[in-house]
Amino acid sequence: MDSHADVVVVDYGLGNLRSVTKGLERAGASVTISDDPERFDDADGVVLPGVGAFREGMENADPYRDALEDVAASDRPLFGICLGMQMLLSESEEADHEGQGAVEGLGFVPGTNVRFRGDQKVPHMGWNELDVTREHPLVTGVEGGRGGSVDGEHAYFVHSYYADPEDDHAVVAETDYGVTFPAIVANDDGTVFGTQFHPEKSGETGLTILKNFVDLC
């Protein structure tokens, strides 16, 4: 495999680009941070990072919508992280919650982002266990936790909303926080996927996932 996958990290004004970039470089990628959608064509893979509000994310990402659709339609991997993962879905309750009406997500993974409803502390913040529910190249080598006494690997989360995909098959891994929610989702082709957690802050588990992404590229 080409150990120097050229990965573009989308700089659309939201997201901790430095830590994502460093994580990808540790995983063996050659990383370009770019706010130019034309650069996506040259990339072996594209990363959509993100922290913050869904509406702001979608408004900032709107100029990149067509270019991201082209990536999604190709066989090149598109990897959304945290808010970037939520933006892969069709919509979010967050905009309604803030009284802003519907905001259209990218729609690569049909579904809605919903707010934690129980009496859990929001945001869900810190380390939590991953439960891998199906095979996907992104989770190769990640222990799934399904084996009774076997603990799953842990990842680092910060979020108040979580993905609720229309199709259960979109879920690659789950995490429990008063409710079981998708920690990793992927589209049918498997080339568009996202993690609700921050792989770049998730130690060896996160590095494994970033390496898997780089291999996919």
Side-chain angles (χ1 to χ4, degrees):
M1 290 202 173
D2 180 6
S3 61
H4 287 288
D6 286 315
V7 173
V8 167
V9 173
V10 185
D11 179 7
Y12 63 103
L14 292 178
N16 184 345
L17 306 183
R18 252 200 71 198
S19 61
V20 172
T21 300
K22 276 171 64 176
L24 286 162
E25 286 172 348
R26 277 185 64 202
S30 168
V31 183
T32 306
I33 297 174
S34 180
D35 59 2
D36 177 5
E38 296 197 351
R39 279 303 315 275
F40 300 1
D41 282 349
D42 307 327
D44 297 318
V46 174
V47 175
L48 187 65
V51 289
F54 188 83
R55 167 175 280 278
E56 191 183 0
M58 286 316 310
E59 284 175 353
N60 286 24
D62 203 51
Y64 303 96
R65 197 182 276 267
D66 290 349
L68 291 169
E69 283 176 359
D70 288 346
V71 175
S74 74
D75 54 2
R76 291 170 300 154
L78 173 61
F79 184 7
I81 295 174
C82 197
L83 175 67
M85 181 200 98
Q86 295 185 4
M87 287 163 56
L88 300 176
L89 277 80
S90 318
E91 58 189 353
S92 175
E93 286 183 353
E94 183 171 7
D96 287 340
H97 184 75
E98 303 295 337
Q100 297 168 329
V103 179
E104 199 179 331
L106 293 165
F108 302 146
V109 179
T112 303
N113 295 288
V114 297
R115 189 174 170 85
F116 284 113
R117 289 187 166 79
D119 49 12
Q120 318 92 317
K121 204 168 145 211
V122 174
H124 169 220
M125 189 165 180
W127 294 88
N128 206 336
E129 196 174 324
L130 295 180
D131 186 1
V132 176
T133 54
R134 72 173 175 92
E135 288 182 6
H136 184 278
L138 195 65
V139 290
T140 302
V142 176
E143 292 299 324
R146 289 249 148 162
S149 63
V150 180
D151 274 344
E153 293 182 31
H154 286 66
Y156 187 81
F157 293 85
V158 186
H159 61 118
S160 304
Y161 290 78
Y162 61 90
D164 183 14
E166 286 175 12
D167 182 358
D168 289 344
H169 187 67
V171 181
V172 174
E174 298 177 330
T175 293
D176 188 69
Y177 186 63
V179 58
T180 301
F181 68 88
I184 304 177
V185 298
N187 71 345
D188 279 352
D189 296 342
T191 56
V192 177
F193 42 80
T195 60
Q196 180 61 70
F197 53 90
H198 288 274
E200 76 282 7
K201 296 177 185 169
S202 297
E204 287 302 311
T205 301
L207 188 60
T208 299
I209 285 168
L210 290 174
K211 281 180 172 161
N212 289 338
F213 167 67
V214 172
D215 286 348
L216 275 167
C217 295

